[in-house]
Every structure is written in C-alpha cells, then in structure tokens.
Amino acid sequence: MTTEAADLEKFLKQVDQISELVKEMNSNDAVSQQRAAEKADQLISAFKENGETDELCKTRLNRTVINNKPERNEAAPCGLRNDADTSQENFMKLLEKDAQERSERRKENAMLANALKEMGNEAFAKGDYETAVQRYSEGLEKLRDMQVLYTNRAQAYIKLEKYKEAVNDCEWALKCNEKCLKAYVHMGRANLALKNYEEAHRCYQKILEIDPKQERLVKDYTNQVYCEEKKNTQEKKALEEFEQGKENATSVLEVLQKLAKPDQVNLYYAGGVRLLTERIKDCTEQTLFRINNGFSIINSNTIVQRSLSVKSQEPFNDELCISVLILWQAVCKGNEENQQLLMQWAGTTECLIELLASEKPDIQKECVALVLMYSLTEHGRALLLRNLDQTKLLERLMGYMHHQDLIAANAVGIMANLAAEKKFRVQFRPNFATAVMPHFITLLRNLSSDNRSVLPQCISTVSNMAGDEGIRKQLADSEECWEACLVAMDGYLSSSKDSQHRDIAIALLGLMLNLSLERNTVIQGQAVNITARCVTLLCCMDGDIITKTTRLLSHILPQSNEAVDEAVKAGTVKKMFKFLKAGGQVTVRYAVMTLAVCTKQSRQASEELVKLDKKFCTLVKLQSVEDELIVGNAVLCLSQCMDVPGAATALLNSDIVKILLKHAGGDARKTTVQQNAAIALGKLCTAEPRHLSQLRQLHGLEILNSCMKHIK
C-alpha cells in the first residue's frame, strides 16, 4: 500500500470516529453525552501525543497533472463524449421520458381507483359496509392522494362503528385537501359517537369558517352534538339518583315493571300509566323512563296499541288512550331525546294523525296538546316536519277552527308555529290548494261566535304561509278566496266593531295586502269591490286599520283604472291629502303612493289635489324628508299636477326649481327619484317658461344633461 493510500485510510477512520462522537453528543441520553465527551478528550490527547494535530490541518501538494493541450483528433472513450450540449440533451430526454411514464402510470392508477370507488359506492348503497371499506382501501393502494376515497371509507367506518378509523381517514383527507368539508362532517360525526363533544363542535365550526353559506347545515350538526351531550349528562345524573335510592327515581322503575305484565285489562294499564305520569316530575324521571325501556314497555303493549285506535270499542279504552297521551306529554316535555324516540317509534305518527280525527273531545284535547308541545321548539317542529303527514295534519287542524274552546286555540297555535318554518311552507306548497284552501274559504264565509276568537290567528297563519310565493299565487289566483275575504270584511263593517271584530279586520287586511303583491286578472276583476270596502274602512277611527287600508289601496289601484275612478269619486283624494298633513310616516308613505296612482290615471284627482294643496306647500315639504319612497312619489304627484292650468304659475316664488334640481342632480340614492325630479322640472318649465330662467341661473341644463347619462 502506498503512503498516500495509507494516509487516506487513516484519515477516513478518524472521520468515522469523530462522526460517532458527534452523534453521541447530540443524543438525548445524558449518559451517552458524558461518555462521548470523555472519548473526545481521549482522542484529542492521543492526537497531541502522536503529533498529528498539525498534520491534520496540513495542506498537501496536489500532484494531479492537467493536460492543457489535448489532441484535437483524440477520440473519446466508448460511451463518453466531450460534447456537453449532447449530454445535456440526452439527460433532458431521459427526464421527459421518465415524467411521461409516471404520468401514464398515474392515469392508469386513477382509472383503477375510480373504478374501485364506484364498486365501493355500490356496496355502501346496498348496506355492505365491509365490502365498501375493502374496495375503498384497494383504491387507495392505487392512488394514495385520492381524497374522496378517504372520506367515503370514513363514512363506511362510521356505519361499522369504527369511529377511530373514521377520524384517521378524515385526517388523511384533510392532508389531501385542507378545505374538504366532507372530512370535517364525518370527523364531527365520529367524534360525536366517541363522546368527544368539544372536538365535534370544533369540526363543525371549521366548516363554517371555510364556507359561511353552510350555516344551516352547521346549526343542525351542532344541535345534534348539543342534544347528545345533554342526553349523556342527563343519563349520568339519573343513574346517580337511582343508585342513591331517591324515591321518585326508584318508583319509576317499579311502576314500569308492573306495567310490563302482559294481558291485563284496560283499567289496570290506565291506572298504572296515570301512576307513572305522577312520578315523572323532572328530567331525571324522564331519563329513567327512557333508559329503562319505558317506550318499549308502553308502546309495544298490544292492549295499549288497541286503545290508541279510534276504531276500538273495548271497555275503558278511552281512559287508557287519554292516559297514554298524557304520559307522552309528561315524558317528552322539554326532553329532546324522548321527543325524538317517541316520533321514531313504529306506528306513533300514524296513531297521532288518526287520533286527531277522533270524535272524543278529551282525546282531541290531549292529542292536540301533545302536537302543540312539539311545535313550540325548533327541534320539535323539525321532528313534526320529518315524521308527520303534513297534508293530513293541516286538514285535521283546520277542522278544529269551528270550535270555540282550548282545542281550537291550540290547533291554530300549531299551525302558526309550523307556518313560521320555511321548510314547512315549501313542503306543503303542492297540497295547499286541496288541504287548506277549501277549509279556509268556508271559514271566512261562515263567521260565527264559535270561531271568532281563533279566526284572527288563523287568518294571520294563512297570511304567513302566503309568504311562500307558490302558496301566495294559489291564493291570489282564487276568485273564491277574494270573495270570501270580502264577505268576511262585510261582516266586520256590519258588526259592532268590538275588539274581536277589529282583530279579524286587521288580519284580513294583512292577508289581502300579502295577496295583492301578485298581479293577475282575478285581482283586476275584484279591484273595484276591494276599493269600495277600503273607502268605507277609511272612515273608521282606528289608526292601524287606516294605515293597512291605505297600503292596500296603493297595491290595488295600479291594477285597475276603474278602481281609480271609484276611489276618486268616493273622495279618496281628500282623505289621502288629510293623511299627508296629519298621519304618521307609514301612513304618509302609502297615502302619497295612492295619490301618485290617482293623479296619474285621473285628471279629476290632479285638479282636486291642486285645489287642496295651495301653492303645493304640502308636496314641497314632503320632498325634504329622508324617506325616498315618499320623496319620489311626492315629486311624481307634483309632476302630474303640472298639466292643470295655473299649477306651475303658483310655484313661481318658491324654491321648487332648486329642490327638484337637487334631487335630479344626484343627491337622491334611487334613480327613480332622479328621473321623477327631471321629468317634473321639464313639465314645470314647459307649463311656465319663467321657471326656465332660474334653471339656467343654477346651471340646471348642464347638470341635467350630465346626470341623466347615468340614469338607466
């Protein structure tokens, strides 16, 4: 071995020694660090003794000889060329080829992974979750970064109650796409099942951060977490009280055990159920009822089941049925978990619909009270919407409107609570014309002392349902509905005007206002009749009725010239002008709208307004208010009055040109106000040319020319 080779080998050994020492010194083990330090000291000492420390740093002579004058014709060794460009070209070709091969392999794997995903989806749809997991796993072997395979497999794991595996898959899906909403949904569900409530809340909150439009979805999921957490807390508390031997807690179980005895007479079960109901005082007893199979013991009993049928004629059948309905109210009041279990129990929903049609007042009363209890909360309404036949429910409830007692009040309360839910209105839209409208029209046509107390809320409920465009169109297109409204209004006009009749009139006006948002031939045909009732109502002294009547006129009159003529002949212009001077802001808004319609269609209305509003003081004053709806219509009225001889002249010594120019020049936010002001200026200057000089002084023509370019 040469001297240089020996030196190199020695040097490499020293490097290895030093590397090992460095590793030990960086170790987390204190003993290893101490041992390495001692070895290092020994090694340095050895170097010093052998005099190698200087040698380690010594620079040696590089004896490599470089040929600076190679032969031009000397051939390169086989396989090697001195052409750098050629070498680079070959290298790039190799890279390109490798990239292409990788791309083709990925496409092939993606096709296989997608095929396996579809196979997994088919298995999942059939309920074969094990096979689904297997197929998704095979797909991931082909394509590790396919997000949908992770979320699909997580969903299958949840079905198999393998919640930890589901969470793990969701985490991998988020590594593929940190904004994957499905991953957060399934992770939240899995954490909920694992009772990791805070983590579940965090997952659902993350969805809202990523996509704020998912607020409704997140709310539903967080409600599930809240209910499950509440249920868990309730069950822990109930078990603690039971173990402590508290009287009510132990007696619930004792009574349930007695009720579990089969084949007893109706009276035995009726008495037992009433006794059990007395024991249900709060959430603890409600929870003990649930966790001790109370629903199963009661609802699966064949004797109890027969009592809940309206066809059963057995002795004490009604007593048992009523007892069960009262028990259901007791165990479900304020307890969302019990409410859900009852609704999901086989036969419960059909039973409730059937009992609502019972002819027995006590059964009707308790059944309606149970449904009302559900309708009082968002969670309860959601259960009613998911589980009950909405058409039959509304038909049954409308049937109670002819009653005077508490049943009718509760029934209309249920309708009002459900009508507030958009989902209910959308679901019920296709059946409204057959399930509700006939009953409602009959109700309006036959007002009596029996239903007068519930009629205002019933009308308001239908009006709320008409907030849905589909339902509103069905009502507005019904001539029978409009005629029934007029019949009911005539009933008020001929009544003693007591508080009940007043409430009916206000509810009717609200409904008619809602329906008048539509424009159709039915409304046009009824416009004169509606206007005649409105004119009569304007004579009353009730401010709410006057305001609603004025607003209804502002909706109806634009749809019929005949109705405008009827209103003008009946002195509506004078009444509306009176409201402009003394009414509240809302009344003024609709009064000036009504005047704008009348002056547009009727020369007589314009002439009356000119006589009533000397020098247009009132209309000019209205143009300085903040409500641009009032301003725009006041300007429109003024513009339409300029056709009356002498009207423009009456404004010569006023600031009307400056005021109109200010509105037309862009101070107004609404372009309709700008347009109306520009038109009014044109009519004013045409009717009285002396206004034109003031317009020029204010550079009005230039301002108008500039601003009108921006008005569409």
Side-chain angles (χ1 to χ4, degrees):
M1 181 182 292
T2 64
T3 304
E4 289 183 358
D7 289 345
L8 178 61
E9 186 175 353
K10 184 178 179 180
F11 174 78
L12 291 175
K13 284 181 180 180
Q14 291 170 350
V15 169
D16 290 338
Q17 284 180 306
I18 293 169
S19 297
E20 288 298 321
L21 288 174
V22 170
K23 286 181 182 178
E24 289 183 4
M25 285 181 174
N26 290 329
S27 171
N28 294 326
D29 186 0
V31 177
S32 298
Q33 290 178 356
Q34 182 63 32
R35 188 168 57 245
E38 292 173 357
K39 286 182 180 179
D41 290 339
Q42 293 171 4
L43 187 61
I44 292 170
S45 299
F47 286 160
K48 287 180 178 179
E49 290 174 3
N50 297 328
E52 294 177 358
T53 51
D54 294 333
E55 188 176 341
L56 286 171
C57 301
K58 189 182 294 181
T59 303
R60 299 184 181 276
L61 178 64
N62 186 351
R63 294 184 175 83
T64 303
V65 178
I66 300 174
N67 185 3
N68 293 320
K69 297 179 180 180
E71 293 292 333
R72 297 289 182 184
N73 57 355
E74 186 176 17
C78 183
L80 296 174
R81 293 186 60 187
N82 292 328
D83 188 347
D85 293 337
T86 304
S87 297
Q88 185 176 359
E89 182 182 346
N90 289 338
F91 178 70
M92 294 303 296
K93 284 182 179 179
L94 288 172
L95 282 181
E96 187 178 345
K97 182 180 179 182
D98 181 66
Q100 188 174 357
E101 289 174 354
R102 286 173 180 271
S103 176
E104 289 175 358
R105 283 198 301 271
R106 182 170 178 83
K107 285 181 182 178
E108 184 180 345
N109 286 337
M111 290 177 63
L112 291 171
N114 272 305
L116 288 163
K117 182 197 76 172
E118 294 302 324
M119 292 168 68
N121 291 349
E122 289 176 11
F124 186 94
K126 293 175 182 177
D128 187 357
Y129 306 120
E130 291 282 4
T131 302
V133 167
Q134 185 178 347
R135 295 292 172 266
Y136 296 141
S137 300
E138 290 170 356
L140 285 168
E141 289 175 4
K142 298 297 179 184
L143 209 62
R144 279 287 173 189
D145 60 349
M146 192 169 179
Q147 166 204 306
V148 68
L149 288 173
Y150 287 112
T151 52
N152 284 10
R153 191 169 69 174
Q155 193 172 9
Y157 275 140
I158 290 172
K159 291 290 186 181
L160 294 169
E161 299 183 4
K162 295 181 178 181
Y163 303 116
K164 290 183 180 179
E165 290 87 342
V167 170
N168 185 57
D169 269 359
C170 291
E171 289 173 348
W172 276 105
L174 290 170
K175 288 178 182 178
C176 298
N177 175 11
E178 62 181 11
K179 294 186 177 181
C180 177
L181 297 184
K182 281 189 176 181
Y184 282 114
V185 168
H186 297 323
M187 190 184 290
R189 291 173 59 203
N191 276 303
L192 175 59
L194 292 168
K195 301 188 186 302
N196 297 331
Y197 303 119
E198 288 187 11
E199 188 62 25
H201 274 298
R202 189 194 68 78
C203 291
Y204 295 138
Q205 192 59 38
K206 196 69 179 176
I207 294 173
L208 203 58
E209 291 175 14
I210 295 170
D211 186 0
K213 294 180 181 179
Q214 301 298 330
E215 184 177 0
R216 182 68 194 182
L217 175 74
V218 170
K219 186 177 180 181
D220 289 342
Y221 279 124
T222 50
N223 282 342
Q224 289 177 17
V225 179
Y226 166 76
C227 290
E228 192 65 27
E229 190 172 7
K230 187 177 177 182
K231 169 191 168 186
N232 191 46
T233 304
Q234 290 170 352
E235 291 181 358
K236 283 182 180 178
K237 182 184 176 185
L239 288 172
E240 285 173 4
E241 293 193 12
F242 179 76
E243 289 170 0
Q244 291 168 6
K246 291 191 177 180
E247 184 180 352
N248 264 1
T250 55
S251 61
V252 168
L253 181 58
E254 291 171 2
V255 177
L256 280 173
Q257 289 171 346
K258 292 177 180 178
L259 286 170
K261 291 176 64 176
D263 303 323
Q264 303 299 308
V265 296
N266 283 7
L267 196 58
Y268 173 87
Y269 291 120
V273 169
R274 287 193 180 275
L275 184 62
L276 180 59
T277 304
E278 292 173 5
R279 298 291 185 271
I280 308 294
K281 301 294 184 184
D282 57 25
C283 181
T284 298
E285 288 80 35
Q286 291 175 332
T287 304
L288 286 169
F289 175 86
R290 179 178 72 244
I291 64 179
N292 285 290
N293 299 318
F295 284 107
S296 177
I297 291 170
I298 302 299
N299 296 4
S300 299
N301 188 304
T302 54
I303 305 298
V304 172
Q305 286 179 349
R306 285 205 298 268
S307 76
L308 296 174
S309 171
V310 294
K311 298 176 182 178
S312 178
Q313 301 296 324
E314 295 180 18
F316 302 104
N317 181 80
D318 292 351
E319 287 79 357
L320 178 54
C321 178
I322 293 166
S323 299
V324 172
L325 289 171
I326 294 173
L327 173 66
W328 282 350
Q329 292 176 56
V331 297
C332 291
K333 186 177 181 180
N335 194 305
E336 296 173 339
E337 183 66 21
N338 283 5
Q339 289 178 9
Q340 186 164 324
L341 278 176
L342 177 59
M343 276 294 166
Q344 291 175 347
W345 200 269
T348 298
T349 53
E350 294 82 357
C351 166
L352 285 176
I353 293 296
E354 187 178 358
L355 290 175
L356 283 170
S358 171
E359 297 179 357
K360 309 291 177 62
D362 288 338
I363 293 177
Q364 292 176 352
K365 175 186 171 184
E366 299 305 335
C367 193
V368 170
L370 177 63
V371 178
L372 176 64
M373 181 195 69
Y374 272 86
S375 73
L376 293 174
T377 65
E378 185 178 1
H379 179 265
R381 290 192 291 273
L383 290 172
L384 292 177
L385 293 176
R386 279 201 301 268
N387 296 286
L388 291 187
D389 185 321
Q390 303 303 309
T391 302
K392 290 182 179 179
L393 175 62
L394 263 292
E395 286 176 346
R396 303 286 193 270
L397 295 175
M398 286 298 297
Y400 291 123
M401 294 302 105
H402 299 285
H403 294 65
Q404 189 179 11
D405 55 13
L406 182 63
I407 300 177
N410 285 347
V412 76
I414 295 168
M415 291 173 56
N417 293 336
L418 291 176
E421 294 285 335
K422 181 180 178 181
K423 187 176 181 181
F424 169 77
R425 298 195 297 267
V426 172
Q427 283 183 0
F428 196 66
R429 187 188 300 159
N431 302 312
F432 181 83
T434 55
V436 171
M437 199 184 297
H439 295 279
F440 183 63
I441 290 172
T442 302
L443 192 66
L444 291 178
R445 287 183 177 278
N446 299 282
L447 297 181
S448 67
S449 58
D450 291 339
N451 58 24
R452 202 176 295 153
S453 61
V454 299
L455 192 58
Q457 191 176 3
C458 181
I459 296 171
S460 297
T461 299
V462 173
S463 183
N464 286 340
M465 294 174 71
D468 175 83
E469 292 183 9
I471 292 177
R472 182 172 67 229
K473 190 174 188 309
Q474 293 178 53
L475 285 165
D477 287 347
S478 170
E479 192 156 358
E480 288 184 346
C481 178
W482 281 105
E483 289 174 353
C485 287
L486 294 175
V487 169
M489 188 61 73
D490 289 339
Y492 165 75
L493 293 171
S494 61
S495 70
S496 59
K497 309 293 192 301
D498 57 21
S499 60
Q500 282 189 345
H501 284 97
R502 174 189 178 278
D503 292 343
I504 292 172
I506 288 177
L508 270 172
L509 286 168
L511 173 63
M512 295 168 76
L513 271 169
N514 206 341
L515 302 187
S516 65
L517 294 173
E518 299 289 325
R519 299 181 70 89
N520 57 46
T521 55
V522 173
I523 296 177
Q524 292 169 9
Q526 292 290 342
V528 172
N529 293 328
I530 297 169
T531 301
R533 269 64 166 196
C534 288
V535 169
T536 306
L537 286 171
L538 289 173
C539 297
C540 78
M541 302 300 292
D542 190 297
D544 288 340
I545 289 178
I546 288 175
T547 299
K548 287 183 179 294
T549 302
T550 305
R551 186 177 181 184
L552 180 59
L553 273 175
S554 71
H555 287 188
I556 294 297
L557 294 181
Q559 301 199 45
S560 169
N561 292 338
E562 291 81 3
V564 172
D565 293 338
E566 174 73 22
V568 173
K569 288 177 185 177
T572 300
V573 173
K574 186 175 182 179
K575 289 175 182 174
M576 293 300 115
F577 183 70
K578 181 181 177 182
F579 297 154
L580 292 186
K581 297 179 73 176
Q585 184 176 351
V586 177
T587 305
V588 168
R589 177 187 296 174
Y590 297 112
V592 74
M593 285 176 67
T594 302
L595 283 174
V597 175
C598 290
T599 53
K600 180 182 179 181
Q601 300 293 339
S602 169
R603 176 63 178 259
Q604 180 184 341
S606 299
E607 291 172 350
E608 280 189 43
L609 186 56
V610 171
K611 290 178 182 178
L612 290 167
D613 194 8
K614 301 297 183 183
K615 297 186 178 181
F616 296 101
C617 294
T618 301
L619 288 179
V620 171
K621 185 178 179 181
L622 289 177
Q623 293 177 44
S624 63
V625 302
E626 292 183 3
D627 189 335
E628 290 202 347
L629 192 62
I630 294 176
V631 173
N633 282 291
V635 171
L636 187 59
C637 286
L638 185 69
S639 172
Q640 287 158 178
C641 288
M642 291 301 99
D643 295 331
V644 178
T649 304
L651 290 165
L652 276 173
N653 296 320
S654 68
D655 292 331
I656 190 62
V657 174
K658 186 177 181 180
I659 293 170
L660 291 175
L661 190 60
K662 185 178 178 183
H663 291 313
D667 276 15
R669 293 184 298 274
K670 294 181 180 291
T671 56
T672 51
V673 176
Q674 296 177 27
Q675 286 178 327
N676 290 348
I679 292 169
L681 273 172
K683 285 190 172 184
L684 179 70
C685 294
T686 302
E688 177 53 78
R690 282 177 285 181
H691 287 291
L692 194 58
S693 59
Q694 186 181 2
L695 184 66
R696 289 196 182 100
Q697 289 175 6
L698 296 170
H699 303 286
L701 296 177
E702 293 88 341
I703 294 172
L704 286 175
N705 184 54
S706 175
C707 72
M708 292 308 290
K709 292 178 181 178
H710 306 290
I711 299 177
K712 294 182 180 180

